[in-house]
Amino acid sequence: MAVLLRKTETKGKTEALEVVESARETVWAAPSFVADLFLGQFRSALLFPYPEQDPEDRCIGDAFCAKVAAFLKANLDADEVDRTGDLPKSVIDGLVQLGCFGMKIPKEYGGLGFSQTNYDRAIALIASHCASTAVWLSAHQSIGVPQPLKLFGTPEQKQKYLPKLAAGAISAFALTEPDVGSDPAKMTTMATPVDNGAAYLLNGEKLWCTNGPVADYLVVVARTPSIVEHGREKKQLTAFIVEKTMPGFEIVRRCDFMGIRGIQNALIRLTNVRVPKENVLWGPGLGLKLALTTLNTGRLTLPASCIGGAKRCLEICRRWANERVQWGQPIGRHEAIGVRLARMAANTFAMEAVTWYACALVDRGGADIRLEAAMAKMFSSEALWELVNDAMQIKGGRGYETAQSLKARGESPDPIERIMRDSRINTIFEGSSEIMRLFIAREALDPHLKVAGELFNPKAPLAVRLQSAWRMLKFYARWYPRQWFYNPRARTPGVPWALRGHLRFVRRASHRLARAIVHAMGRYGPGLERRQMVLWRAVDIGTDLFAMSAAVSRSARMLSRHPGDSTPQMLADHFCREARRRIRANFRQFFSATDRRAVKAASRFLDGDMAWLEEGIVR
Ligand SMILES: Cc1cc2nc3c(=O)[nH]c(=O)nc-3n(C[C@H](O)[C@H](O)[C@H](O)COP(=O)(O)OP(=O)(O)OC[C@H]3O[C@@H](n4cnc5c(N)ncnc54)[C@H](O)[C@@H]3O)c2cc1C
């Protein structure tokens, strides 16, 4: 039985890998600062000087954000939305009128045609006031119909849908199913071609579809008939535009959550929903690739909304830590609270540094932002969670009390309790932290797999493996020795003296990281894929190196604009010092034996051998 289970598990894993692998973008057509870091190259020209928003574009963003802020302040009570679970219709109408539902839709289709930076600035602002509202807008245009339509739609599809979406028709994205969370290979929603391929009949259930209950149009990913490639069945996932008025489309129930309670989210059932072939997005079999490519930029909305939440916490904590006096002084002047405040401020600075950099790359073009965007999402969502925890501690009992209760007692209704509930989801949806790490690790290993991958493929013929071994020898004979040397005198122009040491650290550590990755490949071979903690450490080191570089670059840029203000430098310096501690710790335990012990303990735990630990509870 156990053997059978393991075989099924292995088959499921292989299938999952194959499906995701076939949807990967395999080509690196444009440069990436992060991809190079993993190869031991610090390409300063890709990040220095820190890109600034075009002044004209900035003016557009400033004016829009000012209008939205005034509207939100006057019309949207975020705690009321949290309490009732409803975003009032008047607010939605007002947001439509302001153009919020068309921020990412090109002007020719009636949208605002915003740059990525302005769109993210607006989302950060809105999230600082009401995270639920930010999720409404993000589900609509970061992953909903407009973005994939813009990227992959036909002119007819764009003409048909984009003007309606800019005018307030709401959209959603439906990939997840009860058995499909992080593993799209298990998708069971079927799209069966009918009428000689003129249409498809969609059948299945889609879970947790944000905006689902209110959406007019949805991108639905479903399985179309498999094809046979090299004698093997290949699963096909295809994306469709589904309209809510199509017969057979049903909202089964609205789902409720711990936080972001104002979103509309549903379990959806599709029963023989007839979708014309004209509504296929991009092409049959390209559904997952479409979803992943859309998310490359789409997931940049999430770090922006994390920035909004973080800034709100900073504002609350600065006020409170000055005002609240305990043991003879304001609590912010006690060292333990001061350390938390400094970390919160430095992490917010770094979150902005990575996020606005990634946005600038999207606007400027000519760069591959896959890794930068994934890191911005993972880093910011985790940093926000830590930051909210700090904010909760700093506000003490008042952090734990609801805003409504605080208000009723006549105190400032600071919604730390709500922000904590609202922010927890960020490390789970739009690619959980684990899936982000797997994704980043896969892309970081890509150059090595291209050189040596076949050598580790037990199914590859001997001749191919020998060829791969020869290619590998040639590559590593030149590349590997270079990873032991770095130029300590290399300078990045414009970086203040006080931060140069941090960049030297990044240069040196990127070589060490590149070596560690190759050592891991040599040590575990194809088994490296199962050594998640080794991969995690590589990813975490890479992420911290990226965040350090971005923070230094941003502070150098700010210093050049305002030479009298040393605070950005202070924040970058503090962030880098903390990051260096984490990086050193990760290198020290890169191949830690504790991982294997933990896996063994977890295995005994899963087998029920430790069920005695669960005694003494109410079942
Ligand atoms: C509020 C909310 C809104 C959402 N909105 C949408 C939406 O609009 N459209 C949509 O399609 N989906 C949506 N989702 C679904 C969301 O994207 C999924 O929750 C997410 O993909 C994770 O899937 P899961 O919850 O089933 O977790 P699972 O995939 O079951 O994973 C459970 C845990 O295991 C980890 N894990 C899984 N695989 C691995 C692995 N190989 N290695 C290590 N760890 C692993 C995961 O990271 C996670 O921690 C939403 C979910 C929520 C809660």
Side-chain angles (χ1 to χ4, degrees):
M1 183 66 190
V3 173
L4 199 70
L5 203 68
R6 261 198 298 279
K7 268 194 178 156
T8 320
E9 271 174 19
T10 314
K11 185 169 174 275
K13 196 165 182 177
T14 312
E15 219 167 49
L17 278 174
E18 276 174 5
V19 167
V20 175
E21 201 50 33
S22 66
R24 255 191 80 236
E25 283 177 74
T26 50
V27 183
W28 289 86
S32 154
F33 177 81
V34 170
D36 283 341
L37 266 187
F38 282 109
L39 276 174
Q41 289 169 39
F42 181 82
R43 296 259 298 269
S44 58
L46 296 176
L47 180 54
F48 292 84
Y50 191 81
E52 277 198 328
Q53 194 178 4
D54 167 69
E56 207 179 306
D57 196 44
R58 171 169 280 280
C59 281
I60 294 172
D62 288 347
F64 184 74
C65 285
K67 268 198 296 189
V68 173
F71 173 80
L72 293 178
K73 211 164 168 200
N75 297 287
L76 178 59
D77 179 343
D79 292 308
E80 186 66 5
V81 168
D82 178 63
R83 203 178 57 76
T84 59
D86 266 324
L87 195 59
K89 178 151 182 352
S90 58
V91 173
I92 298 166
D93 290 345
L95 292 170
V96 170
Q97 267 164 25
L98 283 167
C100 289
F101 282 82
M103 286 187 277
K104 295 264 329 260
I105 298 175
K107 283 185 180 159
E108 58 190 293
Y109 298 106
L112 296 180
F114 271 5
S115 62
Q116 184 71 33
T117 305
N118 276 342
Y119 170 66
D120 271 28
R121 285 179 61 196
I123 291 289
L125 176 89
I126 294 164
S128 74
H129 187 69
C130 175
S132 294
T133 307
V135 174
W136 264 76
L137 297 171
S138 158
H140 168 70
Q141 55 203 316
S142 291
I143 57 170
V145 181
Q147 188 67 6
L149 199 53
K150 236 170 63 178
L151 294 172
F152 306 108
T154 62
E156 294 75 28
Q157 287 172 335
K158 289 181 190 174
Q159 206 55 58
K160 181 171 176 190
Y161 291 108
L162 285 177
K164 292 179 192 160
L165 291 160
I170 290 169
S171 80
F173 174 77
L175 175 80
T176 304
E177 295 180 5
D179 281 334
V180 178
S182 314
D183 178 4
K186 293 178 82 180
M187 189 165 290
T188 57
T189 297
M190 295 301 298
T192 314
V194 290
D195 303 341
N196 285 329
Y200 292 81
L201 283 188
L202 266 61
N203 283 288
E205 282 190 349
K206 291 290 175 186
L207 184 60
W208 295 330
C209 179
T210 305
N211 289 355
V214 290
D216 300 284
Y217 307 110
L218 303 91
V219 175
V220 174
V221 182
R223 271 188 71 184
T224 40
S226 302
I227 57 168
V228 177
E229 219 176 61
H230 308 302
R232 296 183 62 203
E233 184 197 351
K234 196 174 162 202
K235 282 188 178 169
Q236 299 286 286
L237 300 181
T238 302
F240 297 87
I241 301 175
V242 171
E243 304 186 8
K244 78 165 179 197
T245 51
M246 290 174 168
F249 179 87
E250 181 193 352
I251 303 294
V252 180
R253 62 162 285 126
R254 183 179 166 184
C255 306
D256 295 319
F257 301 99
M258 164 190 182
I260 49 170
R261 289 188 177 163
I263 67 167
Q264 292 277 346
N265 183 294
L267 170 64
I268 288 172
R269 186 172 298 140
L270 304 153
T271 313
N272 287 329
V273 177
R274 191 178 186 282
V275 183
K277 75 171 188 326
E278 289 72 27
N279 282 26
V280 169
L281 269 168
W282 203 5
L286 293 169
L288 188 60
K289 196 165 191 156
L290 172 137
L292 296 180
T293 313
T294 302
L295 271 173
N296 278 340
T297 45
R299 68 166 58 96
L300 274 178
T301 316
L302 219 124
S305 76
C306 291
I307 287 169
K311 284 177 179 247
R312 186 77 197 277
C313 288
L314 288 186
E315 182 250 326
I316 292 169
C317 287
R318 183 164 65 87
R319 189 167 20 87
W320 181 247
N322 273 313
E323 186 181 300
R324 177 74 170 168
V325 175
Q326 294 285 280
W327 293 53
Q329 56 180 351
I331 56 165
R333 307 287 166 185
H334 293 298
E335 187 174 90
I337 300 294
V339 166
R340 284 187 195 268
L341 291 168
R343 179 169 58 208
M344 289 167 73
N347 281 357
T348 305
F349 183 79
M351 282 158 72
E352 289 206 89
V354 296
T355 304
W356 303 131
Y357 170 66
C359 288
L361 293 187
V362 175
D363 292 336
R364 203 165 60 184
D368 192 317
I369 60 137
R370 262 177 279 177
L371 284 169
E372 283 78 356
M375 281 184 172
K377 192 272 174 188
M378 184 185 84
F379 172 75
S380 302
S381 56
E382 293 184 353
L384 175 63
W385 181 238
E386 187 187 22
L387 188 146
V388 176
N389 188 41
D390 280 336
M392 172 75 70
Q393 199 64 22
I394 290 167
K395 282 251 21 189
R398 286 165 180 82
Y400 197 66
E401 190 173 1
T402 65
Q404 204 187 5
S405 173
L406 287 164
K407 195 174 174 184
R409 294 197 296 107
E411 291 212 29
S412 172
D414 297 332
I416 295 293
E417 177 268 342
R418 170 169 59 80
I419 297 176
M420 178 169 253
R421 285 188 287 105
D422 284 348
S423 59
R424 186 60 188 88
I425 187 61
N426 293 325
T427 61
I428 297 173
F429 64 5
E430 294 192 23
S432 68
S433 280
E434 287 78 13
I435 297 305
M436 287 295 88
R437 283 187 170 82
L438 280 179
F439 171 80
I440 295 166
R442 171 64 186 88
E443 299 307 337
L445 287 176
D446 194 48
H448 300 288
L449 292 177
K450 280 198 173 112
V451 176
E454 287 302 331
L455 187 67
F456 296 120
N457 178 3
K459 287 187 192 146
L462 184 66
V464 173
R465 290 169 77 180
L466 283 175
Q467 248 176 12
S468 172
W470 174 238
R471 220 178 23 243
M472 193 180 106
L473 259 177
K474 274 198 310 191
F475 174 81
Y476 288 112
R478 276 164 50 93
W479 178 85
Y480 186 76
R482 287 208 307 266
Q483 303 315 315
W484 288 92
F485 302 101
Y486 90 108
N487 177 6
R489 277 198 285 272
R491 289 267 177 280
T492 304
V495 175
W497 178 85
L499 299 178
R500 284 183 198 159
H502 296 312
L503 284 193
R504 276 198 298 278
F505 178 93
V506 174
R507 284 175 199 272
R508 213 169 40 235
S510 73
H511 284 306
R512 190 172 170 194
L513 176 61
R515 292 197 309 266
I517 289 172
V518 172
H519 296 170
M521 286 180 71
R523 191 164 167 158
Y524 302 117
L528 178 57
E529 174 249 321
R530 286 190 301 276
R531 302 305 305 264
Q532 288 191 334
M533 295 319 294
V534 173
L535 295 174
W536 268 213
R537 285 181 201 111
V539 169
D540 287 354
I541 292 169
T543 306
D544 264 333
L545 293 176
F546 169 46
M548 282 175 72
S549 312
V552 168
S553 178
R554 181 165 184 246
S555 87
R557 173 64 103 176
M558 289 171 83
L559 200 69
S560 73
R561 287 271 173 267
H562 308 285
D565 183 2
S566 62
T567 52
Q569 185 175 317
M570 213 172 197
L571 291 173
D573 182 56
H574 188 63
F575 176 78
C576 288
R577 283 171 194 275
E578 296 256 318
R580 284 168 75 157
R581 280 208 315 212
R582 290 192 294 268
I583 291 168
R584 285 198 192 97
N586 271 325
F587 272 131
R588 262 199 311 276
Q589 55 200 358
F590 204 80
F591 295 113
S592 169
T594 309
D595 299 342
R596 297 322 283 166
R597 290 180 202 282
V599 168
K600 258 192 202 155
S603 177
R604 296 286 301 272
F605 172 79
L606 287 170
D607 291 344
D609 296 349
M610 301 170 188
W612 51 266
L613 264 176
E614 297 153 25
E615 281 167 16
I617 56 170
V618 179
R619 288 187 189 266

